Amino acid sequence: MDWKNTMTRLGYRISEPRKKIMEVLEGAEVALSPQQIHQQLEHKGFDIGLVSVYRTLDLLTSLELVTVVYDPERNPGYVLSSTGHHHHIICQKCHKAMEFSGTDDIEELIHRVEAETSFQVRDHLLQLFGICPECLNTLNDRGDK
Ligand SMILES: [Zn+2]
Ligand SMILES: [Zn+2]
């Protein structure tokens, strides 16, 4: 993970709260809410205010080191983000978040929307829901019995 290089390059200190929050996110397969991150840090004996967690997440998000995704109930949570054009797919069963590359993903749709609305499309938000391989296995196992 080169997030430390990215922060240093952009002139940000690798402060203890930033480091600790990134560590929590690096260890998580599912998106975490600020409250969940706060709880995990408390369990590890790292005393940090919830407001600082929010503030740090805002910074990490603006630096594109972290992304907001939504669980199947549409609750927002934070996951690590790699650089470049990509999106996330979220498992509807276990809420695991995985990245996929976004190269030219919705070109056709954008052209159609531009033609239909006369807007110029500048950006997009995209997230997919599905069933991850592990959960598919569990479902199949159950089906066999
Ligand atoms: Zn799953
Ligand atoms: Zn995209």
Side-chain angles (χ1 to χ4, degrees), residues 85-87 100-107 110 123-126:
H85 184 189
H86 64 266
H87 300 287
F100 60 92
S101 64
T103 324
D104 297 337
D105 47 14
I106 53 171
E107 285 294 277
I110 287 173
D123 200 0
H124 61 273
L125 263 178
L126 175 68

Side-chain angles (χ1 to χ4, degrees), residues 6-76:
T6 306
M7 280 202 112
T8 310
R9 188 162 34 86
L10 296 170
Y12 291 94
R13 273 187 325 115
I14 314 290
S15 66
E16 205 57 11
R18 290 167 189 172
K19 209 169 94 186
K20 289 280 193 282
I21 289 175
M22 284 302 279
E23 277 171 14
V24 167
L25 290 173
E26 276 170 349
E29 278 203 314
V30 301
L32 299 173
S33 68
Q35 288 81 0
Q36 287 172 316
I37 293 170
H38 184 245
Q39 276 169 12
Q40 287 204 22
L41 290 173
E42 263 186 346
H43 285 156
K44 291 177 182 177
F46 187 63
D47 202 10
I48 175 178
L50 185 57
V51 175
S52 299
V53 174
Y54 272 102
R55 219 183 290 135
T56 306
L57 286 170
D58 276 346
L59 174 69
L60 296 171
T61 306
S62 73
L63 299 179
E64 296 182 344
L65 295 168
V66 159
T67 306
V68 176
V69 296
Y70 296 86
D71 73 15
E73 287 76 45
R74 305 308 191 259
N75 300 307

Side-chain angles (χ1 to χ4, degrees), residues 91 94 132 135:
C91 178
C94 68
C132 78
C135 289

Side-chain angles (χ1 to χ4, degrees), residues 119-130:
F119 271 56
Q120 184 188 55
V121 176
R122 292 281 182 89
D123 200 0
H124 61 273
L125 263 178
L126 175 68
Q127 184 189 302
L128 301 179
F129 290 103

Side-chain angles (χ1 to χ4, degrees), residues 91 93-96 131-132 134-135:
C91 178
K93 295 231 158 261
C94 68
H95 297 192
K96 183 192 301 179
I131 308 290
C132 78
E134 286 78 18
C135 289

